[in-house]
Amino acid sequence: MSTFLTDQPNLDVGKKIYKEKCKVCHGEKGNVNPFAASVLSPPPRNFTLEKSKQELSKTRMIHSVTEGRDGTAMMPWKNILTSAEIQSVVSYIRKNLMNLNSNLKPNQNSN
């Protein structure tokens, strides 16, 4: 998997993309839309859970958004969003919804 990482993702762009394209399934605050959870199997990822914070590195999230996730409703966004937009939305999710430093894996986060 070769994913280009920029140094400065744009969190404002990431927020706009999340609101327009992601919140319908993942929920306004990243804790899953109840309707989506009831009709999709498996349900969308809840970004606010500690398990998600431990499992999801920035690289894994970028790959999931870019390529989609087999066996889930998560579609690939590589033909809709640019690499920079994907990095921006992932950084927004990590910083604002998961409360993580967007450039660090969860276990590298300092308190």
Side-chain angles (χ1 to χ4, degrees), residues 49-59 61 94 98-111:
L49 295 177
E50 192 60 35
K51 180 179 179 185
S52 294
K53 294 176 185 184
Q54 294 301 315
E55 291 178 350
L56 299 176
S57 69
K58 184 175 182 181
T59 301
M61 291 176 73
R94 291 180 64 77
M98 297 173 81
N99 297 312
L100 300 171
N101 179 324
S102 64
N103 294 319
L104 299 177
K105 290 183 182 176
N107 60 2
Q108 294 175 320
N109 227 7
S110 60
N111 290 344

PDB file of all heavy atoms in Angstrom, residues 49-59 61 94 98-111:
ATOM      1  N   LEU A  49     -14.973   5.080  20.405  1.00  0.00           N
ATOM      2  CA  LEU A  49     -14.659   3.946  21.282  1.00  0.00           C
ATOM      3  C   LEU A  49     -13.151   3.793  21.473  1.00  0.00           C
ATOM      4  O   LEU A  49     -12.380   3.983  20.529  1.00  0.00           O
ATOM      5  CB  LEU A  49     -15.209   2.642  20.706  1.00  0.00           C
ATOM      6  CG  LEU A  49     -16.724   2.516  20.613  1.00  0.00           C
ATOM      7  CD1 LEU A  49     -17.091   1.188  19.961  1.00  0.00           C
ATOM      8  CD2 LEU A  49     -17.361   2.639  21.989  1.00  0.00           C
ATOM      9  N   GLU A  50     -12.761   3.413  22.668  1.00  0.00           N
ATOM     10  CA  GLU A  50     -11.339   3.196  22.953  1.00  0.00           C
ATOM     11  C   GLU A  50     -10.745   2.137  22.030  1.00  0.00           C
ATOM     12  O   GLU A  50      -9.603   2.255  21.587  1.00  0.00           O
ATOM     13  CB  GLU A  50     -11.151   2.801  24.424  1.00  0.00           C
ATOM     14  CG  GLU A  50      -9.716   2.849  24.875  1.00  0.00           C
ATOM     15  CD  GLU A  50      -9.076   4.225  24.752  1.00  0.00           C
ATOM     16  OE1 GLU A  50      -9.749   5.253  24.963  1.00  0.00           O
ATOM     17  OE2 GLU A  50      -7.866   4.275  24.438  1.00  0.00           O
ATOM     18  N   LYS A  51     -11.515   1.100  21.725  1.00  0.00           N
ATOM     19  CA  LYS A  51     -11.054   0.043  20.819  1.00  0.00           C
ATOM     20  C   LYS A  51     -10.667   0.627  19.454  1.00  0.00           C
ATOM     21  O   LYS A  51      -9.637   0.268  18.887  1.00  0.00           O
ATOM     22  CB  LYS A  51     -12.134  -1.022  20.657  1.00  0.00           C
ATOM     23  CG  LYS A  51     -11.739  -2.147  19.735  1.00  0.00           C
ATOM     24  CD  LYS A  51     -12.832  -3.192  19.620  1.00  0.00           C
ATOM     25  CE  LYS A  51     -12.400  -4.283  18.658  1.00  0.00           C
ATOM     26  NZ  LYS A  51     -13.440  -5.267  18.406  1.00  0.00           N
ATOM     27  N   SER A  52     -11.476   1.526  18.926  1.00  0.00           N
ATOM     28  CA  SER A  52     -11.168   2.158  17.637  1.00  0.00           C
ATOM     29  C   SER A  52      -9.898   2.989  17.740  1.00  0.00           C
ATOM     30  O   SER A  52      -9.062   2.972  16.834  1.00  0.00           O
ATOM     31  CB  SER A  52     -12.331   3.055  17.186  1.00  0.00           C
ATOM     32  OG  SER A  52     -13.467   2.277  16.911  1.00  0.00           O
ATOM     33  N   LYS A  53      -9.753   3.707  18.838  1.00  0.00           N
ATOM     34  CA  LYS A  53      -8.563   4.538  19.027  1.00  0.00           C
ATOM     35  C   LYS A  53      -7.300   3.687  19.063  1.00  0.00           C
ATOM     36  O   LYS A  53      -6.241   4.108  18.594  1.00  0.00           O
ATOM     37  CB  LYS A  53      -8.693   5.360  20.304  1.00  0.00           C
ATOM     38  CG  LYS A  53      -9.813   6.391  20.226  1.00  0.00           C
ATOM     39  CD  LYS A  53      -9.990   7.121  21.542  1.00  0.00           C
ATOM     40  CE  LYS A  53     -11.183   8.046  21.488  1.00  0.00           C
ATOM     41  NZ  LYS A  53     -11.328   8.835  22.725  1.00  0.00           N
ATOM     42  N   GLN A  54      -7.401   2.481  19.602  1.00  0.00           N
ATOM     43  CA  GLN A  54      -6.240   1.590  19.685  1.00  0.00           C
ATOM     44  C   GLN A  54      -5.955   0.901  18.353  1.00  0.00           C
ATOM     45  O   GLN A  54      -4.808   0.652  18.020  1.00  0.00           O
ATOM     46  CB  GLN A  54      -6.434   0.547  20.791  1.00  0.00           C
ATOM     47  CG  GLN A  54      -6.471   1.146  22.186  1.00  0.00           C
ATOM     48  CD  GLN A  54      -5.212   1.909  22.537  1.00  0.00           C
ATOM     49  OE1 GLN A  54      -4.111   1.446  22.282  1.00  0.00           O
ATOM     50  NE2 GLN A  54      -5.373   3.095  23.093  1.00  0.00           N
ATOM     51  N   GLU A  55      -6.992   0.568  17.612  1.00  0.00           N
ATOM     52  CA  GLU A  55      -6.832  -0.206  16.378  1.00  0.00           C
ATOM     53  C   GLU A  55      -6.498   0.625  15.148  1.00  0.00           C
ATOM     54  O   GLU A  55      -5.869   0.116  14.213  1.00  0.00           O
ATOM     55  CB  GLU A  55      -8.114  -0.989  16.075  1.00  0.00           C
ATOM     56  CG  GLU A  55      -8.400  -2.100  17.025  1.00  0.00           C
ATOM     57  CD  GLU A  55      -9.697  -2.822  16.717  1.00  0.00           C
ATOM     58  OE1 GLU A  55     -10.497  -2.352  15.876  1.00  0.00           O
ATOM     59  OE2 GLU A  55      -9.911  -3.861  17.341  1.00  0.00           O
ATOM     60  N   LEU A  56      -6.920   1.868  15.122  1.00  0.00           N
ATOM     61  CA  LEU A  56      -6.846   2.643  13.889  1.00  0.00           C
ATOM     62  C   LEU A  56      -5.652   3.598  13.840  1.00  0.00           C
ATOM     63  O   LEU A  56      -5.701   4.691  14.396  1.00  0.00           O
ATOM     64  CB  LEU A  56      -8.143   3.438  13.694  1.00  0.00           C
ATOM     65  CG  LEU A  56      -9.417   2.609  13.563  1.00  0.00           C
ATOM     66  CD1 LEU A  56     -10.626   3.520  13.462  1.00  0.00           C
ATOM     67  CD2 LEU A  56      -9.330   1.676  12.373  1.00  0.00           C
ATOM     68  N   SER A  57      -4.618   3.200  13.140  1.00  0.00           N
ATOM     69  CA  SER A  57      -3.512   4.127  12.881  1.00  0.00           C
ATOM     70  C   SER A  57      -3.958   5.080  11.775  1.00  0.00           C
ATOM     71  O   SER A  57      -4.913   4.802  11.031  1.00  0.00           O
ATOM     72  CB  SER A  57      -2.260   3.361  12.436  1.00  0.00           C
ATOM     73  OG  SER A  57      -2.480   2.801  11.146  1.00  0.00           O
ATOM     74  N   LYS A  58      -3.283   6.175  11.652  1.00  0.00           N
ATOM     75  CA  LYS A  58      -3.597   7.126  10.590  1.00  0.00           C
ATOM     76  C   LYS A  58      -3.446   6.457   9.227  1.00  0.00           C
ATOM     77  O   LYS A  58      -4.291   6.628   8.342  1.00  0.00           O
ATOM     78  CB  LYS A  58      -2.703   8.361  10.693  1.00  0.00           C
ATOM     79  CG  LYS A  58      -3.057   9.427   9.674  1.00  0.00           C
ATOM     80  CD  LYS A  58      -2.247  10.688   9.875  1.00  0.00           C
ATOM     81  CE  LYS A  58      -2.666  11.748   8.877  1.00  0.00           C
ATOM     82  NZ  LYS A  58      -1.896  12.974   9.032  1.00  0.00           N
ATOM     83  N   THR A  59      -2.392   5.664   9.053  1.00  0.00           N
ATOM     84  CA  THR A  59      -2.164   4.987   7.773  1.00  0.00           C
ATOM     85  C   THR A  59      -3.303   4.028   7.456  1.00  0.00           C
ATOM     86  O   THR A  59      -3.783   3.980   6.318  1.00  0.00           O
ATOM     87  CB  THR A  59      -0.818   4.234   7.804  1.00  0.00           C
ATOM     88  OG1 THR A  59       0.218   5.194   8.056  1.00  0.00           O
ATOM     89  CG2 THR A  59      -0.542   3.524   6.501  1.00  0.00           C
ATOM     90  N   MET A  61      -6.385   4.208   8.498  1.00  0.00           N
ATOM     91  CA  MET A  61      -7.584   4.984   8.191  1.00  0.00           C
ATOM     92  C   MET A  61      -7.526   5.552   6.775  1.00  0.00           C
ATOM     93  O   MET A  61      -8.513   5.517   6.045  1.00  0.00           O
ATOM     94  CB  MET A  61      -7.765   6.094   9.222  1.00  0.00           C
ATOM     95  CG  MET A  61      -8.125   5.559  10.600  1.00  0.00           C
ATOM     96  SD  MET A  61      -8.226   6.852  11.866  1.00  0.00           S
ATOM     97  CE  MET A  61      -9.779   7.649  11.383  1.00  0.00           C
ATOM     98  N   ARG A  94      -9.410  12.053  13.461  1.00  0.00           N
ATOM     99  CA  ARG A  94      -8.481  11.692  14.541  1.00  0.00           C
ATOM    100  C   ARG A  94      -8.381  12.799  15.594  1.00  0.00           C
ATOM    101  O   ARG A  94      -8.404  12.530  16.785  1.00  0.00           O
ATOM    102  CB  ARG A  94      -7.108  11.370  13.957  1.00  0.00           C
ATOM    103  CG  ARG A  94      -7.132  10.058  13.156  1.00  0.00           C
ATOM    104  CD  ARG A  94      -5.790   9.716  12.562  1.00  0.00           C
ATOM    105  NE  ARG A  94      -4.801   9.473  13.585  1.00  0.00           N
ATOM    106  CZ  ARG A  94      -4.712   8.344  14.305  1.00  0.00           C
ATOM    107  NH1 ARG A  94      -5.558   7.353  14.104  1.00  0.00           N
ATOM    108  NH2 ARG A  94      -3.765   8.198  15.213  1.00  0.00           N
ATOM    109  N   MET A  98     -11.802  11.616  17.603  1.00  0.00           N
ATOM    110  CA  MET A  98     -11.119  10.593  18.389  1.00  0.00           C
ATOM    111  C   MET A  98     -10.229  11.210  19.472  1.00  0.00           C
ATOM    112  O   MET A  98      -9.697  10.504  20.312  1.00  0.00           O
ATOM    113  CB  MET A  98     -10.277   9.712  17.468  1.00  0.00           C
ATOM    114  CG  MET A  98     -11.097   8.940  16.444  1.00  0.00           C
ATOM    115  SD  MET A  98     -10.072   8.068  15.235  1.00  0.00           S
ATOM    116  CE  MET A  98      -9.644   6.597  16.177  1.00  0.00           C
ATOM    117  N   ASN A  99     -10.055  12.529  19.417  1.00  0.00           N
ATOM    118  CA  ASN A  99      -9.205  13.247  20.371  1.00  0.00           C
ATOM    119  C   ASN A  99      -7.771  12.725  20.395  1.00  0.00           C
ATOM    120  O   ASN A  99      -7.175  12.564  21.448  1.00  0.00           O
ATOM    121  CB  ASN A  99      -9.813  13.225  21.769  1.00  0.00           C
ATOM    122  CG  ASN A  99     -11.133  13.944  21.807  1.00  0.00           C
ATOM    123  OD1 ASN A  99     -11.255  15.052  21.305  1.00  0.00           O
ATOM    124  ND2 ASN A  99     -12.130  13.307  22.368  1.00  0.00           N
ATOM    125  N   LEU A 100      -7.245  12.458  19.194  1.00  0.00           N
ATOM    126  CA  LEU A 100      -5.872  11.989  19.049  1.00  0.00           C
ATOM    127  C   LEU A 100      -5.066  13.014  18.270  1.00  0.00           C
ATOM    128  O   LEU A 100      -5.613  13.756  17.463  1.00  0.00           O
ATOM    129  CB  LEU A 100      -5.833  10.658  18.268  1.00  0.00           C
ATOM    130  CG  LEU A 100      -6.580   9.487  18.877  1.00  0.00           C
ATOM    131  CD1 LEU A 100      -6.615   8.329  17.880  1.00  0.00           C
ATOM    132  CD2 LEU A 100      -5.912   9.055  20.165  1.00  0.00           C
ATOM    133  N   ASN A 101      -3.761  13.012  18.476  1.00  0.00           N
ATOM    134  CA  ASN A 101      -2.873  13.784  17.618  1.00  0.00           C
ATOM    135  C   ASN A 101      -2.906  13.089  16.277  1.00  0.00           C
ATOM    136  O   ASN A 101      -2.578  11.916  16.179  1.00  0.00           O
ATOM    137  CB  ASN A 101      -1.459  13.804  18.194  1.00  0.00           C
ATOM    138  CG  ASN A 101      -0.494  14.561  17.331  1.00  0.00           C
ATOM    139  OD1 ASN A 101      -0.560  14.541  16.108  1.00  0.00           O
ATOM    140  ND2 ASN A 101       0.437  15.236  17.971  1.00  0.00           N
ATOM    141  N   SER A 102      -3.286  13.775  15.205  1.00  0.00           N
ATOM    142  CA  SER A 102      -3.515  13.145  13.908  1.00  0.00           C
ATOM    143  C   SER A 102      -2.271  12.505  13.316  1.00  0.00           C
ATOM    144  O   SER A 102      -2.358  11.677  12.433  1.00  0.00           O
ATOM    145  CB  SER A 102      -4.101  14.150  12.916  1.00  0.00           C
ATOM    146  OG  SER A 102      -3.172  15.176  12.672  1.00  0.00           O
ATOM    147  N   ASN A 103      -1.088  12.856  13.777  1.00  0.00           N
ATOM    148  CA  ASN A 103       0.133  12.302  13.215  1.00  0.00           C
ATOM    149  C   ASN A 103       0.688  11.135  14.016  1.00  0.00           C
ATOM    150  O   ASN A 103       1.698  10.565  13.643  1.00  0.00           O
ATOM    151  CB  ASN A 103       1.206  13.386  13.111  1.00  0.00           C
ATOM    152  CG  ASN A 103       0.816  14.436  12.115  1.00  0.00           C
ATOM    153  OD1 ASN A 103       0.286  14.132  11.053  1.00  0.00           O
ATOM    154  ND2 ASN A 103       1.014  15.689  12.460  1.00  0.00           N
ATOM    155  N   LEU A 104       0.027  10.770  15.118  1.00  0.00           N
ATOM    156  CA  LEU A 104       0.550   9.719  15.984  1.00  0.00           C
ATOM    157  C   LEU A 104      -0.418   8.554  16.050  1.00  0.00           C
ATOM    158  O   LEU A 104      -1.618   8.727  15.959  1.00  0.00           O
ATOM    159  CB  LEU A 104       0.759  10.245  17.404  1.00  0.00           C
ATOM    160  CG  LEU A 104       1.735  11.387  17.586  1.00  0.00           C
ATOM    161  CD1 LEU A 104       1.737  11.805  19.035  1.00  0.00           C
ATOM    162  CD2 LEU A 104       3.115  10.993  17.131  1.00  0.00           C
ATOM    163  N   LYS A 105       0.121   7.357  16.238  1.00  0.00           N
ATOM    164  CA  LYS A 105      -0.723   6.216  16.565  1.00  0.00           C
ATOM    165  C   LYS A 105      -1.222   6.438  17.982  1.00  0.00           C
ATOM    166  O   LYS A 105      -0.584   7.133  18.773  1.00  0.00           O
ATOM    167  CB  LYS A 105       0.098   4.918  16.495  1.00  0.00           C
ATOM    168  CG  LYS A 105       0.481   4.528  15.103  1.00  0.00           C
ATOM    169  CD  LYS A 105       1.202   3.209  15.139  1.00  0.00           C
ATOM    170  CE  LYS A 105       1.631   2.819  13.744  1.00  0.00           C
ATOM    171  NZ  LYS A 105       2.413   1.578  13.758  1.00  0.00           N
ATOM    172  N   PRO A 106      -2.369   5.847  18.341  1.00  0.00           N
ATOM    173  CA  PRO A 106      -2.922   6.074  19.680  1.00  0.00           C
ATOM    174  C   PRO A 106      -1.921   5.805  20.809  1.00  0.00           C
ATOM    175  O   PRO A 106      -1.846   6.559  21.754  1.00  0.00           O
ATOM    176  CB  PRO A 106      -4.084   5.106  19.754  1.00  0.00           C
ATOM    177  CG  PRO A 106      -4.489   4.913  18.325  1.00  0.00           C
ATOM    178  CD  PRO A 106      -3.204   5.009  17.531  1.00  0.00           C
ATOM    179  N   ASN A 107      -1.146   4.744  20.717  1.00  0.00           N
ATOM    180  CA  ASN A 107      -0.235   4.421  21.815  1.00  0.00           C
ATOM    181  C   ASN A 107       0.972   5.330  21.865  1.00  0.00           C
ATOM    182  O   ASN A 107       1.791   5.232  22.748  1.00  0.00           O
ATOM    183  CB  ASN A 107       0.186   2.947  21.755  1.00  0.00           C
ATOM    184  CG  ASN A 107       0.908   2.603  20.461  1.00  0.00           C
ATOM    185  OD1 ASN A 107       1.127   3.464  19.621  1.00  0.00           O
ATOM    186  ND2 ASN A 107       1.249   1.344  20.311  1.00  0.00           N
ATOM    187  N   GLN A 108       1.091   6.262  20.917  1.00  0.00           N
ATOM    188  CA  GLN A 108       2.163   7.241  20.927  1.00  0.00           C
ATOM    189  C   GLN A 108       1.676   8.600  21.419  1.00  0.00           C
ATOM    190  O   GLN A 108       2.425   9.544  21.493  1.00  0.00           O
ATOM    191  CB  GLN A 108       2.743   7.414  19.522  1.00  0.00           C
ATOM    192  CG  GLN A 108       3.434   6.185  19.008  1.00  0.00           C
ATOM    193  CD  GLN A 108       3.880   6.375  17.573  1.00  0.00           C
ATOM    194  OE1 GLN A 108       3.171   6.966  16.740  1.00  0.00           O
ATOM    195  NE2 GLN A 108       5.057   5.899  17.270  1.00  0.00           N
ATOM    196  N   ASN A 109       0.407   8.697  21.712  1.00  0.00           N
ATOM    197  CA  ASN A 109      -0.183   9.960  22.144  1.00  0.00           C
ATOM    198  C   ASN A 109       0.321  10.332  23.540  1.00  0.00           C
ATOM    199  O   ASN A 109       0.393   9.500  24.412  1.00  0.00           O
ATOM    200  CB  ASN A 109      -1.711   9.817  22.177  1.00  0.00           C
ATOM    201  CG  ASN A 109      -2.409  10.956  21.532  1.00  0.00           C
ATOM    202  OD1 ASN A 109      -1.787  11.827  20.931  1.00  0.00           O
ATOM    203  ND2 ASN A 109      -3.723  10.936  21.615  1.00  0.00           N
ATOM    204  N   SER A 110       0.659  11.571  23.734  1.00  0.00           N
ATOM    205  CA  SER A 110       1.072  12.007  25.069  1.00  0.00           C
ATOM    206  C   SER A 110      -0.092  12.707  25.756  1.00  0.00           C
ATOM    207  O   SER A 110      -0.919  13.300  25.124  1.00  0.00           O
ATOM    208  CB  SER A 110       2.277  12.954  24.971  1.00  0.00           C
ATOM    209  OG  SER A 110       1.927  14.067  24.204  1.00  0.00           O
ATOM    210  N   ASN A 111      -0.144  12.627  27.064  1.00  0.00           N
ATOM    211  CA  ASN A 111      -1.249  13.245  27.813  1.00  0.00           C
ATOM    212  C   ASN A 111      -0.869  14.607  28.305  1.00  0.00           C
ATOM    213  O   ASN A 111       0.054  14.986  28.756  1.00  0.00           O
ATOM    214  CB  ASN A 111      -1.659  12.377  28.991  1.00  0.00           C
ATOM    215  CG  ASN A 111      -2.336  11.100  28.493  1.00  0.00           C
ATOM    216  OD1 ASN A 111      -2.745  11.042  27.333  1.00  0.00           O
ATOM    217  ND2 ASN A 111      -2.420  10.113  29.353  1.00  0.00           N
TER     218      ASN A 111
END
